[in-house]
Amino acid sequence: MWGAEGRGRHRVRAQRPAALVKCELRRKRGRGTWCTRGTAIRVTLAFLSAAVLSVALLVVALPSTGPVYGVLEADPRYLASDYQAGIRLAIVQPQWDAWEPRPGAFDRRYRAQEIAAVQAYRSAGYEVGVDIGLQSPPAWLLQRPGAQLVDQFGNQSGTANFEFDQSVRVAAAAYIRVVVDSLGPVKYYRVGLSGSGEALYPEAPGDNWWAFDPRAQGAQGGLPPGVPAVPLPAWVPGDALYHGRSVTQVQVRSWYRWYFGASVNAHAWEIRAYRAAGYTGMLQLVMPGYGTGPSVYRARMRADLAPVTYDPFDTMNTGAVWFKFLAELPDLHGLVVDISSVGDGSGIPANNTCQPGDDSEPLDSVRARFWSDTRWLTYLAHSHGLQVMGENPGNTRPAQLPEILELARSCGLIALQWAWDYQLHSRTYASLRLLRREMEN
């Protein structure tokens, strides 16, 4: 029995109601910021001034124990009401394509808007985290040859090729430096290079393997430092033959070490880029789902990485092999694991909570195969001496609130970030009022 192994989760953000949009939204693969340019700057500053004044008049009692509560895609229009409800962490999300619409040309008005938002939250007493928006790369970057990942079918990912293109990393590092310098001290920056801002390759609904762009396959130079040449050029996982001979297990393992290693290398680069930019605070390593456990990992290797029913989310394709990912990252200093799937219904029974003694279980424990995502990722984080925080999957209904908060408390999450700020005010999903009531329980 495979239990929860092989489960993965990729966030799909619900469409924001048009009535809540005051200016152009720039969304990339389901993520977005609340407004961008033009007259929006004046609207933003007006909202921020009024919101900070309102917060200054509030005296709000917070629970003495449990996580800090925050919101993803923090919207300044809700700054005062969120604060009154006990929200104390605001994750802002600038967009790379809006900040740098042309190579090396940074939009001064957009930059001013993002700085104003961070300063307003900071002045109001919030801790601030930043999702820097690498999942919204500018069109000028994506149009460069090799700048997108490519699968074995020739499909482009629509995301930047951080894994195999050094020029993409150079461009992103320049943007990171500008943002870190502009926004000043914050509590967190988020680490994750997928289209949803998580530490993954793109999704793989058709057994996609994102390793077939010219640089990855050795047809063109420009690989990042530390990423070796592909060990089996043109081989597609699942194929039983390579150059007319049966593929060996040694070859399969070598190919996957290369593919998975490129993702680890890319995320290690992202961590270094923040440090090189002068940021010394905490970094959220955003990890969704249970991913591939040890038994599924071994079984998929034996199957030459062919698609299998016991890995329905293709977690090895996306690189969600969390027990290896944390073990292979070269520097864990200053990291906190951010579980982006808290309360997603995983595990048997669903959403089972962390228990005393979990940390003493062996890595390949049969019991652990049935744990919820949150419980498993907490266990892995603790095994590396890391703290955990988390976020709900989004589109949360009122009935789901108690289980989400119980998971957060039982697993000792230092923060619970709500996906998303606008949904707490939408009248469609779990509301801010209900969240506050559960926070106080």
Side-chain angles (χ1 to χ4, degrees), residues 85-423:
I87 303 298
R88 292 295 183 270
L89 173 62
I91 307 297
V92 300
Q93 186 177 328
Q95 303 290 290
W96 185 5
D97 57 352
W99 197 302
E100 189 179 5
R102 296 180 306 282
F106 301 101
D107 188 309
R108 288 180 296 176
R109 290 186 298 177
Y110 185 80
R111 175 179 176 272
Q113 171 189 296
E114 298 304 307
I115 292 172
V118 169
Q119 290 176 341
Y121 277 109
R122 192 185 291 128
S123 297
Y126 282 83
E127 294 179 336
V128 177
V130 181
D131 182 340
I132 206 166
L134 296 182
Q135 65 271 38
S136 60
W140 56 260
L141 179 69
L142 294 182
Q143 290 165 2
R144 292 178 178 177
Q148 297 185 46
L149 292 163
V150 178
D151 68 12
Q152 68 270 39
F153 309 113
N155 300 311
Q156 292 187 317
S157 62
T159 59
N161 185 357
F162 296 100
E163 288 79 3
F164 301 110
D165 189 333
Q166 174 62 9
S167 68
V168 167
R169 296 189 185 183
V170 171
Y175 167 66
I176 289 172
R177 285 194 298 272
V178 169
V179 174
V180 169
D181 182 65
S182 298
L183 298 185
V186 296
K187 181 72 172 180
Y188 301 104
Y189 274 92
R190 291 162 68 87
V191 173
L193 297 173
S194 75
S196 56
E198 296 164 313
L200 299 163
Y201 278 107
E203 296 181 31
D207 188 39
N208 317 71
W209 293 94
W210 298 101
F212 291 87
D213 64 271
R215 286 189 174 87
Q217 288 296 308
Q220 185 176 329
L223 285 173
V227 178
V230 57
L232 300 174
W235 180 70
V236 176
D239 287 355
L241 300 177
Y242 183 62
H243 290 173
R245 297 184 177 182
S246 296
V247 68
T248 68
Q249 279 291 288
V250 171
Q251 289 174 316
V252 172
R253 291 178 181 277
S254 175
W255 189 93
Y256 193 76
R257 280 197 300 272
W258 167 80
Y259 178 78
F260 179 71
S263 176
V264 174
N265 179 281
H267 288 90
W269 159 81
E270 186 184 2
I271 291 166
R272 291 195 304 273
Y274 287 113
R275 300 309 186 199
Y279 178 67
T280 59
M282 298 295 292
L283 293 166
Q284 300 174 231
L285 186 60
V286 188
M287 297 164 53
Y290 193 106
T292 304
S295 60
V296 167
Y297 182 85
R298 292 190 297 267
R300 286 211 65 183
M301 287 294 191
R302 290 193 297 269
D304 298 338
L305 298 173
V308 291
T309 57
Y310 49 81
D311 187 10
F313 292 92
D314 295 306
T315 55
M316 288 187 70
N317 303 52
T318 61
V321 190
W322 303 128
F323 75 96
K324 285 188 168 292
F325 192 87
L326 289 176
E328 295 185 16
L329 270 178
D331 185 7
L332 299 178
H333 175 72
L335 296 186
V336 55
V337 169
D338 181 0
I339 304 167
S340 56
S341 52
V342 176
D344 65 349
S346 60
I348 304 174
N351 292 328
N352 55 82
T353 58
C354 294
Q355 300 295 320
D358 282 357
D359 289 350
S360 63
E361 287 285 332
L363 180 65
D364 208 2
S365 165
V366 173
R367 285 191 291 270
R369 298 179 192 177
F370 299 91
W371 287 354
S372 65
D373 301 350
T374 304
R375 189 177 180 184
W376 170 245
L377 292 177
T378 298
Y379 164 82
L380 293 179
H382 288 176
S383 71
H384 292 278
L386 299 178
Q387 293 181 302
V388 285
M389 59 196 302
E391 52 203 69
N392 62 308
N395 305 335
T396 299
R397 302 296 176 180
Q400 297 172 285
L401 273 171
E403 283 192 341
I404 291 172
L405 269 65
E406 185 180 7
L407 268 171
R409 291 163 177 155
S410 73
C411 294
L413 271 58
I414 61 172
L416 178 65
Q417 307 149 102
W418 201 259
W420 291 269
D421 196 2
Y422 84 95
Q423 288 196 350

Side-chain angles (χ1 to χ4, degrees), residues 427-441:
R427 300 183 181 180
T428 301
Y429 305 102
S431 68
L432 183 65
R433 178 181 61 82
L434 291 176
L435 177 60
R436 178 177 181 176
R437 187 175 68 187
E438 289 297 329
M439 289 162 54
E440 293 172 345
N441 285 344

